[in-house]
Amino acid sequence: MGSVADTICHHVTDRVAAGLAHEEERVGYLSNQTMVMMQVLEEEGEGSELISYFYVHLTLLSIDETLHGSMFPYLMMLRRQCHLACLLQRVLQCVKEKKLYVAERINNWSLVSMLQHPNKLGDDLVRPYHAVLLLEDGNKLLSELPTYCSPTFVRLLKVVSPPTRSLEQISVDADLPLGLVVQLVAHLIEWRKAIAIAPLSENNVYSTSQHAQEIITEEMKSQFELDFNNCNLIEFLSHFSQPLPLRDHQLDYQMRLSDTEDHVSTEGGQFVQMVGWLLRRHLIIQVHVVGMIVNSYSIVVTHLYICCTSMPSLGGFISDQQRR
């Protein structure tokens, strides 16, 4: 394996070993599971041969590809009766498949988690004027937090949505220091649970991503209909074919709805959620209009450059008066 894979394996094994050591000291978990393993192997009469086989294929991270022949029933029995064997197999499978992160509880108590491919953004690129767009449901994130999680982090997750406010405003609402909020948001971004965005006013301009057709799948279409009252993903995405302010996109969408017989009212809040759904999946992008003053031959000429960025930006409907 390469150096990166070796490093990941070492980190995972270190954390699993630390978790096993804790559970052994707490309730003698490792000793109990070792006895279960040995009992299964001895009962089947394949002791040393099966132990060697099991060890080799765990080490090579290829247990699922080599479960064949006379060893198969014994390994399946070992998985059914030994909780530790199942846990090790799941952890190694996550490493082998290069999943984003590994998260398992040893003996349903000690959490072993590691991010295999972190997003190295860092808090140096997160600014107080940024907003946060969660990539997963906030309630789902709260339910996945360990019992010993900091109450500060929980408080932040409860107020970070909807993504209509800057981190500075969020720090005031959550009664947390701004520096701490920036660090916690950087942590969410590193674990690919959120992205940093610019708070959106109704004048922000959006357009369909040039890669939208490559991204859209049938599963994505079904999920959009399920989340938003049978709304058609392709039809809704067509409203963003032209780079227009979000206010105009919403008016166009509402006008088309009013012309149909099966009109379903869409509130502003739900429209923002639908836009956020598209942004999370990079189906639309924000178009930035930047004003630049260039001094050429002693004549001041103002140029407008339209810059399309791949990073989505979403916020709420904030009027110009509110932003001032």
Side-chain angles (χ1 to χ4, degrees):
M1 291 185 293
S3 58
V4 176
D6 289 339
T7 302
I8 291 176
C9 288
H10 285 307
H11 287 170
V12 171
T13 53
D14 287 346
R15 299 194 181 201
V16 171
L20 289 175
H22 175 76
E23 286 303 298
E24 175 66 18
E25 182 179 354
R26 191 174 71 91
V27 293
Y29 173 76
L30 182 59
S31 299
N32 175 269
Q33 292 297 297
T34 302
M35 292 178 59
V36 173
M37 286 185 182
M38 296 303 300
Q39 182 178 359
V40 171
L41 300 179
E42 290 174 0
E43 287 178 356
E44 299 304 325
E46 298 284 350
S48 60
E49 180 183 356
L50 184 55
I51 292 174
S52 175
Y53 182 90
F54 190 60
Y55 172 77
V56 168
H57 292 298
L58 276 178
T59 312
L60 295 177
L61 304 181
S62 57
I63 186 171
D64 282 345
E65 296 177 1
T66 55
L67 286 176
H68 57 81
S70 61
M71 298 297 103
F72 180 79
Y74 306 129
L75 290 173
M76 292 301 294
M77 186 174 297
L78 190 60
R79 288 183 184 180
R80 287 197 299 267
Q81 299 188 23
C82 180
H83 177 270
L84 179 57
C86 296
L87 182 141
L88 291 176
Q89 189 263 331
R90 290 196 303 268
V91 170
L92 293 174
Q93 195 66 23
C94 288
V95 175
K96 178 185 174 182
E97 296 176 357
K98 299 181 180 179
K99 291 187 177 180
L100 178 59
Y101 58 88
V102 178
E104 292 288 344
R105 288 191 181 274
I106 299 178
N107 196 26
N108 296 322
W109 184 263
S110 297
L111 178 64
V112 175
S113 61
M114 194 193 81
L115 190 64
Q116 297 194 68
H117 308 285
N119 184 2
K120 296 295 185 180
L121 177 64
D123 56 1
D124 56 329
L125 297 181
V126 181
R127 296 288 185 261
Y129 51 77
H130 281 145
V132 182
L133 177 62
L134 294 178
L135 299 180
E136 297 183 12
D137 180 70
N139 293 328
K140 180 175 181 292
L141 288 178
L142 287 171
S143 65
E144 292 176 350
L145 293 176
T147 54
Y148 53 81
C149 180
S150 168
T152 302
F153 193 66
V154 175
R155 192 191 316 173
L156 175 69
L157 281 179
K158 289 181 178 179
V159 300
V160 77
S161 293
T164 59
R165 298 159 298 163
S166 66
L167 298 185
E168 189 173 8
Q169 294 171 318
I170 290 175
S171 69
V172 174
D173 294 341
D175 194 22
L176 296 172
L178 178 58
L180 179 59
V181 171
V182 170
Q183 291 179 357
L184 293 176
V185 169
H187 182 72
L188 282 172
I189 294 173
E190 181 180 359
W191 279 79
R192 300 181 188 273
K193 300 296 185 181
I195 54 177
I197 58 176
L200 178 72
S201 75
E202 56 187 6
N203 295 322
N204 283 17
V205 179
Y206 286 97
S207 180
T208 306
S209 170
Q210 60 181 348
H211 304 294
Q213 294 300 325
E214 303 172 6
I215 299 174
I216 295 176
T217 62
E218 292 299 325
E219 181 181 357
M220 195 177 292
K221 295 178 184 178
S222 301
Q223 188 62 46
F224 189 81
E225 293 180 359
L226 181 63
D227 293 344
F228 301 109
N229 300 324
N230 295 322
C231 288
N232 185 278
L233 175 59
I234 302 300
E235 182 180 348
F236 183 73
L237 191 61
S238 67
H239 295 285
F240 296 87
S241 57
Q242 297 294 326
L244 297 172
L246 191 59
R247 174 185 61 251
D248 295 342
H249 286 308
Q250 184 182 21
L251 291 175
D252 178 55
Y253 176 66
Q254 291 177 340
M255 288 179 61
R256 292 195 191 183
L257 280 182
S258 62
D259 294 336
T260 60
E261 296 180 356
D262 54 343
H263 169 64
V264 179
S265 62
T266 303
E267 299 178 353
Q270 182 177 347
F271 182 80
V272 172
Q273 293 177 7
M274 297 167 75
V275 173
W277 197 98
L278 299 181
L279 288 171
R280 290 186 185 96
R281 291 154 181 84
H282 306 288
L283 296 177
I284 60 175
I285 58 175
Q286 183 179 7
V287 180
H288 296 279
V289 180
V290 183
M292 300 184 65
I293 299 178
V294 180
N295 190 345
S296 177
Y297 302 104
S298 301
I299 300 176
V300 177
V301 183
T302 302
H303 298 273
L304 290 180
Y305 292 85
I306 298 181
C307 311
C308 295
T309 63
S310 59
M311 185 186 80
S313 301
L314 173 68
F317 292 97
I318 305 176
S319 64
D320 292 338
Q321 292 79 5
Q322 289 176 316
R323 301 195 81 172
R324 296 194 189 99

